[in-house]
Amino acid sequence: MLDRILENYDIKGSLIKIEDNNSGNINKTFVATFLDNNIEKKYLVQKINTTVFAEPYKLMKNIEGITAFIKKQTKLENDNNHKTLQIIKTKKGNSLCKILPEKEYYRIYEFIEDAVAYDCSTELNVVFNTGKAFGNFQRLLAKYPMNQLEETIKDFHNTPSRLKTFISDIKIDSQKRAIEVAKEIVFIIQREDICSLIMDKLGTDEIPFRVTHNDTKVNNVLMNKDNGEFLAVIDLDTVMPGSLLFDYGDGIRSTASNAKEDEINLEKVYINLELFEAYTDGYMSEMAPYLTKTELSLMGESIRIITLELAIRFLNDYINGDTYFKIDYEKHNLDRALNQIKLVIDIEDKIDYINKYIYESYEKYINN
C-alpha cells in the first residue's frame, strides 16, 4: 500500500526501506528512506485518522497556513536554529494524497534530522525548552489571521460545555456507574465556578483568540540532540483558535506532574514545583511581553481548570462505558480521573506559590 502512496510524489532517488514509527496515538506513522546519489533521505508518512479528524482537508489547511507563517517569521528574525514541519506536496500539488476506493488520506513531511524527542522528562533543561518552544510557537503566530484557522475539534477546551455534558450524562447514567463515583461527581460540581473563567472572556481584548497547539506535551517538541535546545514543535493536528491559557495550563499539567496520567498510587501524583518553574521560565522567556493582564492573572488558575477538565472527560467516559478513550483494563478511565482529581487538589494546595512564581518569572523576562 505505501508503495502505491509514494508513487503519487516526485521524490528523488529510490525507496530502500519503510519502517513503522510507533510514536503518536492517533495517526498511523511510517518512516520511508530513499537513496539518491549515495545519500539517504527520510520522510515521515502518515495515514490520517478520519475517525478523530473527520475533515482532513481543514486539518491540512491549518497546518499549511501556520507552517508557512512560521517560516516567514523565522526568516524575518534571521533564526536559523529552529525549524517547522515541511509538507511534501503530491505531483498534483496537493497536501493530501487520497486513496480510492478506501477513502484513506495520507500526507508526507520531510524528516527532521539531528533531533531527539522525550516521552517525558525530569531534566530541567528539557522542561525549560519545552515551555520555551510552545512560547516561541505562540509568539511567532501572534499576528496570524484567525479567520484563516479552522476549528477541527469543536469545543475541545470548552470546559463549561464539558461540564454540561458531564451532568447530562450523569442523569442518563447508561451504565449505572454514577453511584459508584458519587464523591468524585460532587468534587467536580463543587468547582463549577472556575470552569467558565477562561471561556467567559475568550475573544475579548482581555483574553484574545490566539493560535493554540492544544497538545503541549514534552514529546511534541523535538530537541537539538547536540545542544539540547528546542528545534521544532510538531504534531500540529490540534492547532485551532483558542486561548494561550489552554496551552500553558495543559503544558504544566502534563509536563510538571510527578506521575503519569494513570498512576494508581496517588501519593506519587503532585505538581513538581521545580519542573513547573522551569516550564514557566521557558514560556515567559518568549511570551512575557505579549501577555494581557487578564491572561497573566489566570495562568495559575488555568492549570487547575485544564486539569479539572481532563478529570471531567475521564470520569464522563467511565460513566458512559468507556466509549472515547482507549482503555487497557476495566477501570482504567476511573483511575485516570482519580489521578487528575488528586492533581487538582495538589494544585489548589500550591496555588498561592504558583501564582507568586508566575509573576516573578514574568517580571524577570518582561524587559528582555
Side-chain angles (χ1 to χ4, degrees), residues 197-226:
L197 288 178
I198 299 172
M199 292 301 298
D200 281 352
K201 295 181 179 179
L202 183 59
T204 69
D205 289 342
E206 293 182 69
I207 304 180
F209 277 110
R210 298 182 188 265
V211 179
T212 50
H213 185 278
N214 293 302
D215 196 11
T216 48
K217 299 194 298 288
V218 66
N219 62 1
N220 282 330
V221 177
L222 296 182
M223 304 293 179
N224 187 312
K225 69 179 184 181
D226 294 325

Side-chain angles (χ1 to χ4, degrees), residues 248 276-277 280-281 284-285 288 291 296 299 352-368:
Y248 174 77
F276 152 73
E277 291 171 2
T280 299
D281 284 345
M284 286 294 186
S285 71
L291 298 173
L296 180 63
M299 286 179 72
D352 288 343
Y353 178 83
I354 286 171
N355 285 329
K356 179 175 178 288
Y357 190 83
I358 286 169
Y359 276 92
E360 288 176 357
S361 181
Y362 171 79
E363 292 296 334
K364 181 165 54 175
Y365 290 105
I366 185 62
N367 295 318
N368 287 359

